Amino acid sequence: MPPQPAAANIQISDLGAYQHAIRLVLTNDVITATRPRPGMLEAVLRWADQLSKDLRDHLGYTLIATTRAVRVIRRLDGLDPTQTTIFTAKSGRPFDRRRLAYLCLILASFQRSRVEVSLADLVRAFTPSANAIDGLGFDPIVSAHKAAVVDVLDWLADRGALRLSDGSVDAWSADTERGDALYDIDHDICATLFRPARPVQHLTSAAGLLDATYVSAKRGAQREAAAQRAARALLEHPVVYYAQVEPEVAEALRQHGVAENLARLTGLAVERRAEGVLLADAGGRFTDRPFPGRGGAVNRAAGLLLAKIADVLENPDEELLLLPAPLEAADQRELLEKIDAALPLAGVVTELAWSAPEEDQGGQERPAAPPPPADYPVPFIADSALRAMIDDLYDELGPASFTVSWQHDQRGLLNAALAFLGDLRLLRRVDGGALVLPAAARYRNIKAALPVRHAEGQLALDLFGGDTGDD
């Protein structure tokens, strides 16, 4: 039996508050009494039962909701580099491998019998584990090691897993012999933060963390599983292209239901094109990468580059080279190989190991896998043309228009803008240039990226004079 429509029991007068709640749980790794701000936990808990049902039925997600914290446990169909963005220091810099490793070791060092821990004791507890790992280690006289510990503790404190009750982490960082800090431990939030799909000591590949493709002899169950995978893809990515996903997922997205349910859940607008589908967030309430928007020089340069690229694509005298866009399955293989290359295998419990997300389905014979989608050609823009575009922008607008950070670094800004557009699935970097993906045409008339001159005569890039739709 197919699930009920999304928000089926929500009155129209309450729909806005419900959509706000679901946007909160999907855009925050954990919600507590103070995170992301006071009052948000109560706003979510009001709808906990309906949220749990909708997330389970339409996305296959699990909602953990207590009086102290709320978190969504996602099912991962694939890995992508942007999933690490929740691990950032107070400075905004993403965690490196050392900080991620320290985070895991510190969480593992907490004992349920202890409700508080001093920083000195915590460091003494996790140091042997760190030093037992080749290439990691911890030395209190190395400032980079201490800075990594401070970033991890700040991250845990920001999410309520730790609460500073005495002392100062800065004092410890300045003098590990005399300085110290005392933390209260919230074990429930710690357990909420660390919930891997499978025990990590049983994994021989990062693929073991992915959701197993559900196989059933019943066609209805297959359709339901495909609909959930389609909904997860549309929710987690700026745009989904039919030609890059599995045929059953593409078919589910083409039909009425999946996208419309997500639109009712989130309050976003569905945009369908021949090549795919996206949810547009004109208000910027449900995106970590608003575009166009007040995202600084990189965001502005990305919009201007799209305008330049559109001129090339619409020029009838321009001979375009078309190349096949890579499939998501190929991207996944490449990413998994990179991750697995650094996987330590010495501690893996091999007799219980998982190397891929394949599980027993009650002895049923697995049907043959569907054929992969066919490659589809998209325009290719060479690096030389992209460099010429950014040089033209600097000449037209002046280096000062791109802020102090970038005014003398055209190539650095170009690379940052291309990476940003890649995250939005508008361009795809390849050897020698970039592929222009279909959704980039959505911004071919991006008047918002035109420069305006303020009263004092300085050129600036106004991104709010035109289309403000977000992917």
Side-chain angles (χ1 to χ4, degrees), residues 33-151:
T34 58
R35 177 182 170 85
R37 54 187 179 275
M40 295 298 97
L41 181 61
E42 292 79 4
V44 170
L45 289 177
R46 173 189 176 190
W47 308 105
D49 291 342
Q50 184 66 40
L51 286 171
S52 179
K53 177 175 171 43
D54 279 335
L55 291 169
R56 180 183 65 249
D57 291 350
H58 298 286
L59 293 158
Y61 290 168
T62 300
L63 182 73
I64 298 177
T66 70
T67 57
R68 299 167 61 194
V70 172
R71 185 191 174 194
V72 171
I73 306 300
R74 286 169 159 82
R75 294 170 65 177
L76 294 179
D77 300 303
L79 301 175
D80 73 82
T82 65
Q83 291 167 354
T84 63
T85 55
I86 64 171
F87 300 103
T88 55
K90 281 186 175 181
S91 63
R93 298 189 58 165
F95 276 15
D96 54 16
R97 294 173 65 184
R98 178 175 299 279
R99 283 163 173 78
L100 290 171
Y102 281 3
L103 174 59
C104 294
L105 293 176
I106 287 174
L107 281 171
S109 70
F110 294 155
Q111 299 179 14
R112 275 278 181 178
S113 59
R114 300 187 63 174
V115 297
E116 65 179 14
V117 63
S118 71
L119 181 47
D121 286 345
L122 189 154
V123 169
R124 279 194 291 270
F126 102 93
T127 295
S129 299
N131 289 332
I133 299 173
D134 293 338
L136 183 63
F138 175 80
D139 189 336
I141 67 173
V142 178
S143 59
H145 291 188
K146 292 189 293 184
V149 170
V150 171
D151 285 342

Side-chain angles (χ1 to χ4, degrees), residues 373-428:
D375 293 343
Y376 67 102
V378 293
F380 170 80
I381 304 294
D383 280 336
S384 58
L386 293 169
R387 289 193 293 267
M389 291 177 189
I390 198 71
D391 290 342
D392 287 345
L393 291 174
Y394 271 71
D395 292 339
E396 294 169 11
L397 306 175
S401 298
F402 296 95
T403 72
V404 174
S405 300
W406 300 104
Q407 61 180 331
H408 301 301
D409 189 9
Q410 291 100 314
R411 297 296 176 265
L413 181 58
L414 174 63
N415 291 332
L418 292 175
F420 176 71
L421 292 171
D423 287 345
L424 296 180
R425 294 193 169 191
L426 301 178
L427 298 183
R428 165 62 188 259

Side-chain angles (χ1 to χ4, degrees), residues 10 74 145 159 175 178 206 223 227 265 280 314 323 337 375 390 408 413 454:
I10 304 298
R74 286 169 159 82
H145 291 188
R159 285 150 181 81
D175 187 346
R178 297 181 177 85
R223 285 197 298 266
L265 277 178
E314 295 177 358
L323 296 177
E337 288 173 0
D375 293 343
I390 198 71
H408 301 301
L413 181 58
H454 290 299

Side-chain angles (χ1 to χ4, degrees), residues 238 268-269 271 273 278-285 287 289-294 299 303 306 420 424 426 439 442-443 445-448 463-471:
L268 307 187
E271 289 192 10
R273 299 292 187 271
L278 62 82
L279 295 177
D281 180 17
R285 302 163 296 178
T287 180
R289 303 288 178 91
F291 178 73
R294 298 186 186 276
N299 194 308
L306 284 187
F420 176 71
L424 296 180
L426 301 178
R442 186 173 186 264
Y443 302 96
N445 297 319
I446 188 169
K447 297 178 182 178
L463 290 175
F464 293 89
D467 178 16
T468 58
D470 299 317
D471 285 337

Side-chain angles (χ1 to χ4, degrees), residues 143-352:
S143 59
H145 291 188
K146 292 189 293 184
V149 170
V150 171
D151 285 342
V152 167
L153 295 178
D154 286 343
W155 190 91
L156 290 169
D158 185 49
R159 285 150 181 81
L162 295 178
R163 185 180 67 84
L164 183 66
S165 59
D166 193 16
S168 168
V169 67
D170 292 332
W172 172 84
S173 183
D175 187 346
T176 56
E177 295 295 329
R178 297 181 177 85
D180 203 354
L182 185 65
Y183 287 96
D184 295 330
I185 306 173
D186 191 319
H187 291 285
D188 292 335
I189 292 182
C190 289
T192 299
L193 289 174
F194 184 71
R195 293 178 67 93
R198 297 184 176 94
V200 292
Q201 66 269 29
H202 297 166
L203 298 178
T204 60
S205 169
L209 294 171
L210 301 180
D211 185 58
T213 301
Y214 181 69
V215 179
S216 172
K218 297 182 179 179
R219 183 169 298 179
Q222 293 177 0
R223 285 197 298 266
E224 181 179 348
Q228 287 188 351
R229 288 174 62 87
R232 292 194 290 267
L234 187 56
L235 188 74
E236 302 292 350
H237 299 291
V239 58
V240 179
Y241 298 111
Y242 299 138
Q244 287 190 300
V245 297
E246 299 92 336
E248 62 271 21
V249 172
E251 180 61 25
L253 287 171
R254 286 191 176 97
Q255 296 177 1
H256 181 88
V258 170
E260 288 69 25
N261 274 324
L262 287 181
R264 179 171 171 81
L265 277 178
T266 61
L268 307 187
V270 179
E271 289 192 10
R272 293 184 180 275
R273 299 292 187 271
E275 301 88 356
V277 60
L278 62 82
L279 295 177
D281 180 17
R285 302 163 296 178
F286 191 61
T287 180
D288 58 347
R289 303 288 178 91
F291 178 73
R294 298 186 186 276
V298 173
N299 194 308
R300 298 193 296 269
L304 290 165
L305 278 173
L306 284 187
K308 290 282 188 182
I309 290 172
D311 291 341
V312 173
L313 299 184
E314 295 177 358
N315 184 353
D317 298 326
E318 188 76 31
E319 293 187 10
L320 296 176
L321 174 63
L322 300 180
L323 296 177
L327 301 178
E328 288 189 4
D331 290 341
Q332 282 296 297
R333 285 194 298 270
E334 181 179 351
L335 183 57
L336 285 169
E337 288 173 0
K338 290 180 179 178
I339 296 172
D340 290 349
L343 182 66
L345 298 179
V348 175
V349 184
T350 53
E351 64 269 19
L352 298 174

